[in-house]
Amino acid sequence: LYGVNIHMNTFNIASNLWIVKDCFDPDTMIWLNDIKTNMDNRFSVSRPHLRLLLDDGKDHQRLQQLGLDLLPGLNKLTNYNLNFMVSKFWLDLPGFGCQVHHDAPDIIVTLQVYIDNDGDTVGAEFLHVNPSIQIPIEPNCGYLNLNTDLKEHQVISSSGTRTSVVFQYNVIDN
């Protein structure tokens, strides 16, 4: 029913970093947009504060399947034999920001796709290049970070809200 757009566009913008566009088909985007208003869903405060994380439930389980469905394309793009770790649906509230950090070393790929934004919100800013790279927030677009070089990145605090989905993968040991 829901799915990945097999024609997802990727644009390499720096070493091990891609902009992704048109990640999901229109029906999937409608479903993802509706997650935050579905009264059957529950959210928990996540780290850092002002970020809400979708709790386990029907939509959460569908999101995990979506993460699995992405594997063939991500394996091809990265030339790694990836293993799905987790999918997350984040609702970032006004004032949310995330200080400079890198993803944990066991996370080899992070794919974050923005669903929507209201107001003055910004995407992740990658600091491993000069000048830094600010990922634009556009619906059904985002970034893919191949984390083999532990790129530092951050999110500057803003007054708006944004929703996104995040998929994380590690490498299967052979």
Side-chain angles (χ1 to χ4, degrees):
L1 179 60
Y2 301 114
V4 174
N5 184 346
I6 60 171
H7 303 294
M8 173 173 56
N9 297 307
T10 58
F11 306 92
N12 186 251
I13 56 172
S15 176
N16 298 329
L17 184 64
W18 291 263
I19 293 273
V20 296
K21 295 188 176 209
D22 304 318
C23 295
F24 305 115
D25 63 39
D27 289 337
T28 301
M29 283 302 294
I30 291 168
W31 164 63
L32 289 169
N33 268 303
D34 290 344
I35 286 177
K36 68 182 177 187
T37 57
N38 181 340
M39 296 306 289
D40 292 331
N41 287 326
R42 299 287 178 256
F43 292 85
S44 299
V45 175
S46 176
R47 182 177 57 95
H49 76 292
L50 299 177
R51 169 169 275 171
L52 301 181
L53 176 67
L54 178 66
D55 290 337
D56 196 16
K58 190 175 180 180
D59 281 338
H60 183 266
Q61 293 305 313
R62 278 188 190 165
L63 200 56
Q64 302 316 299
Q65 183 58 53
L66 199 55
L68 287 168
D69 293 343
L70 287 162
L71 267 173
L74 295 177
N75 284 338
K76 184 177 180 182
L77 179 67
T78 64
N79 292 315
Y80 278 90
N81 188 16
L82 298 172
N83 177 59
F84 172 69
M85 294 174 67
V86 68
S87 298
K88 302 172 187 178
F89 181 95
W90 284 333
L91 171 57
D92 297 335
L93 302 175
F96 169 78
C98 191
Q99 25 180 274
V100 174
H101 69 285
H102 60 76
D103 293 342
D106 64 322
I107 299 171
I108 298 302
V109 168
T110 296
L111 171 65
Q112 183 169 11
V113 180
Y114 300 112
I115 307 305
D116 72 1
N117 65 314
D118 298 313
D120 177 29
T121 58
V122 295
E125 178 183 14
F126 285 84
L127 307 169
H128 70 294
V129 291
N130 188 8
S132 63
I133 297 173
Q134 183 86 49
I135 306 298
I137 294 186
E138 300 172 17
N140 206 11
C141 300
Y143 68 87
L144 185 146
N145 174 20
L146 181 59
N147 191 44
T148 55
D149 51 357
L150 301 177
K151 287 181 275 319
E152 288 191 332
H153 54 285
Q154 67 182 351
V155 176
I156 303 298
S157 179
S158 63
S159 61
T161 62
R162 69 178 191 174
T163 55
S164 63
V165 289
V166 174
F167 306 93
Q168 294 177 321
Y169 304 84
N170 58 16
V171 172
I172 298 174
D173 292 328
N174 292 328

